[in-house]
Amino acid sequence: MRVVVLGAGFAGLELTTTLSAEFGDGAEIVLIDESEAFVFGFSKLDVMFGRTNPGAVFHPYRNLDKPGVRFVQTTIHSIDPVAKRIDTDAGTFDADIIVIALGADLDPSATPGLVEAGHEFYTVAGAFALREVLANFDGGRVIVGVTAAPFKCPPAPSETALLMHTYLTERGIRAASTISLVMPLGVPIPPSPAASTALLAAFAERGISWHPGSIVDRLDRERNTAVLRDGTELPFDLFLGVPRHHAPRVVVDAGLTVDGWIPVNPLTLETAYPDVYAVGDVTSVGTPKAGVFAEGQASVVAQEIIARVKSGDAPATYDGHGTCYLEFGDDLVGRVDVTFLSGQAPVGDLEGPSLAIAADKVEFGSSRVARWFG
Ligand SMILES: Cc1cc2nc3c(=O)[nH]c(=O)nc-3n(C[C@H](O)[C@H](O)[C@H](O)COP(=O)(O)OP(=O)(O)OC[C@H]3O[C@@H](n4cnc5c(N)ncnc54)[C@H](O)[C@@H]3O)c2cc1C
């Protein structure tokens, strides 16, 4: 059975690792990605705030060495979900099973003024460029603002505001600065009231002004002002934006999306096409767009494929569970355990923040690197 996995992010790496561990050289798995290397989303914040070097967070795909898995670095141009054929710069791939794990693309140019007057910290290039911008910042009015929903890792803008507080404090320019956070959500982390309460308290303690239920519609570059959807104007010296997200064009062109994202069976991750699965940020499965959920979904699909090949029992269905780490600044990290069960209100608890959980977060990243690339 030839499995072609599109995208080597959180989901694609987890899926191929599990299949390789099960089938070894007996597997025929092709993993396709146009990038040279994997970068964790949270590493973007580490680089931007000078907590690590850019070179330390690239995990090159050339180091992938999994029995039965062939990595191909190329751009995917079309997906035929009926013929199960994929066209790329490196030729055509025919599959028995396709798993689409192409994530969400980002479009800073969709927000008027963002490219000209602001910065974004969601792409690798944007976050890495901000490292120097921040190092040269002398203080002033900082806005962390979301420009559209849905967006990856809903805690990330809150984390960025808190890390900004620590960064400016350590540089001795916090008193000369203000920090505002503009978010479309009513509370920072809707499924976890405990985490939301802790974050709102942290914002209040640190003098971070919180603008819930808002979206930044555009930046007025003449007046260095962010214009919110309700007409509110916030002047800034430094704007850090979360750009508009959309499914990769190749997925839209394949006719796989409804309302912008790929609908899937929330229990099995099957698309409307037989033998075509979709996992992670590219779907509208109902969990937030985050690596931990992408990984959990990939794991379910891997077990499904293993059961099919071995004619085994149907595997467990997707339970919508994920553990997210939450940066509070001052090197403290909290942990939120959330479950999104289909048809039920999501629930989540907060642990910490603490230095011990900060160490667990480091282990979370390094254990993935060891498993996926080791
Ligand atoms: C600042 C920030 C902080 C974050 N922090 C966290 C966190 O702490 N915890 C967490 O769980 N999540 C976090 N995330 C979110 C996380 O990074 C994503 O949700 C996760 O990577 C999604 O996994 P995925 O496999 O669905 O897609 P991705 O990891 O985005 O992988 C998709 C892959 O598809 C490839 N691709 C796309 N189109 C094509 C094409 N046409 N041809 C070839 N290849 C293509 C891309 O190159 C990419 O490698 C964060 C994100 C950001 C931006």
Side-chain angles (χ1 to χ4, degrees), residues 113 116-118 141 143 218-227 233-239:
E116 299 82 359
R141 297 159 299 183
I143 299 178
R218 64 188 173 87
L219 302 187
D220 182 331
R221 62 192 284 201
E222 306 292 314
R223 297 183 300 129
N224 266 10
T225 296
V227 183
E233 297 197 344
L234 297 177
F236 63 83
D237 298 298
L238 179 64
F239 182 88

Side-chain angles (χ1 to χ4, degrees), residues 14-373:
E14 179 65 20
L15 185 89
T16 48
T17 297
T18 308
L19 293 181
S20 170
E22 180 70 29
F23 298 120
D25 282 330
E28 198 186 350
I29 302 158
V30 179
L31 175 62
I32 304 176
D33 202 296
E34 62 191 353
S35 303
E36 264 177 48
F38 174 75
V39 176
F40 284 105
F42 52 73
S43 297
K44 295 170 190 169
L45 303 184
D46 290 339
V47 171
M48 160 176 149
F49 287 110
R51 305 191 323 165
T52 189
N53 293 314
V57 302
F58 280 107
H59 305 289
Y61 292 124
R62 67 168 181 276
N63 295 343
L64 276 178
D65 184 18
K66 294 282 175 200
V69 179
R70 177 159 71 102
F71 177 76
V72 182
Q73 189 190 345
T74 188
T75 299
I76 300 159
H77 291 299
S78 75
I79 304 166
D80 181 337
V82 177
K84 294 201 282 308
R85 178 163 296 163
I86 297 110
D87 280 323
T88 76
D89 278 342
T92 299
F93 295 84
D94 288 307
D96 296 309
I97 293 178
I98 297 179
V99 185
I100 303 169
L102 290 170
D105 277 357
L106 302 163
D107 186 3
S109 64
T111 304
L114 176 56
V115 175
E116 299 82 359
H119 304 271
E120 59 80 19
F121 60 98
Y122 259 49
T123 65
V124 169
F128 286 22
L130 268 165
R131 181 185 174 88
E132 204 169 318
V133 173
L134 288 184
N136 292 321
F137 183 59
D138 293 328
R141 297 159 299 183
V142 180
I143 299 178
V144 178
V146 177
T147 64
F151 60 99
K152 299 184 205 198
C153 193
S158 301
E159 295 180 293
T160 302
L162 292 167
L163 291 168
M164 181 64 79
H165 170 84
T166 301
Y167 181 86
L168 297 176
T169 304
E170 284 172 353
R171 289 200 42 220
I173 50 176
R174 179 65 180 101
S177 306
T178 59
I179 304 173
S180 305
L181 173 59
V182 181
M183 288 259 279
L185 309 171
V187 291
I189 305 193
S192 176
S196 291
T197 303
L199 282 170
L200 290 174
F203 298 157
E205 275 164 23
R206 292 158 177 80
I208 294 169
S209 63
W210 157 247
H211 300 263
S214 298
I215 283 275
V216 176
D217 253 349
R218 64 188 173 87
L219 302 187
D220 182 331
R221 62 192 284 201
E222 306 292 314
R223 297 183 300 129
N224 266 10
T225 296
V227 183
L228 311 193
R229 180 139 308 163
D230 66 2
T232 303
E233 297 197 344
L234 297 177
F236 63 83
D237 298 298
L238 179 64
F239 182 88
L240 307 186
V242 175
R244 181 176 289 276
H245 291 38
H246 59 81
R249 164 75 30 212
V250 65
V251 167
V252 178
D253 290 348
L256 283 153
T257 54
V258 175
D259 295 333
W261 306 98
I262 305 180
V264 289
N265 178 326
L267 299 176
T268 61
L269 290 312
E270 292 164 300
T271 68
Y273 296 87
D275 300 326
V276 179
Y277 296 85
V279 287
D281 288 358
V282 75
T283 71
S284 51
V285 65
T287 56
K289 296 194 183 303
V292 285
F293 296 107
E295 181 183 293
Q297 292 154 26
S299 180
V300 167
V301 172
Q303 295 308 327
E304 168 74 19
I305 293 171
I306 291 167
R308 284 176 60 173
V309 171
K310 296 189 149 182
S311 306
D313 294 338
T317 50
Y318 181 54
D319 65 1
H321 178 257
T323 299
C324 301
Y325 290 95
L326 197 51
E327 297 278 349
F328 274 77
D330 302 321
D331 297 329
L332 297 173
V333 176
R335 182 163 41 217
V336 186
D337 226 27
V338 206
T339 303
F340 288 78
L341 272 180
S342 187
Q344 293 181 27
V347 284
D349 280 335
L350 172 73
E351 269 182 90
S354 70
L355 290 173
I357 298 175
D360 287 351
K361 181 182 174 185
V362 173
E363 164 63 17
F364 171 88
S366 52
S367 64
R368 263 80 191 159
V369 171
R371 194 164 83 227
W372 295 337
F373 292 90

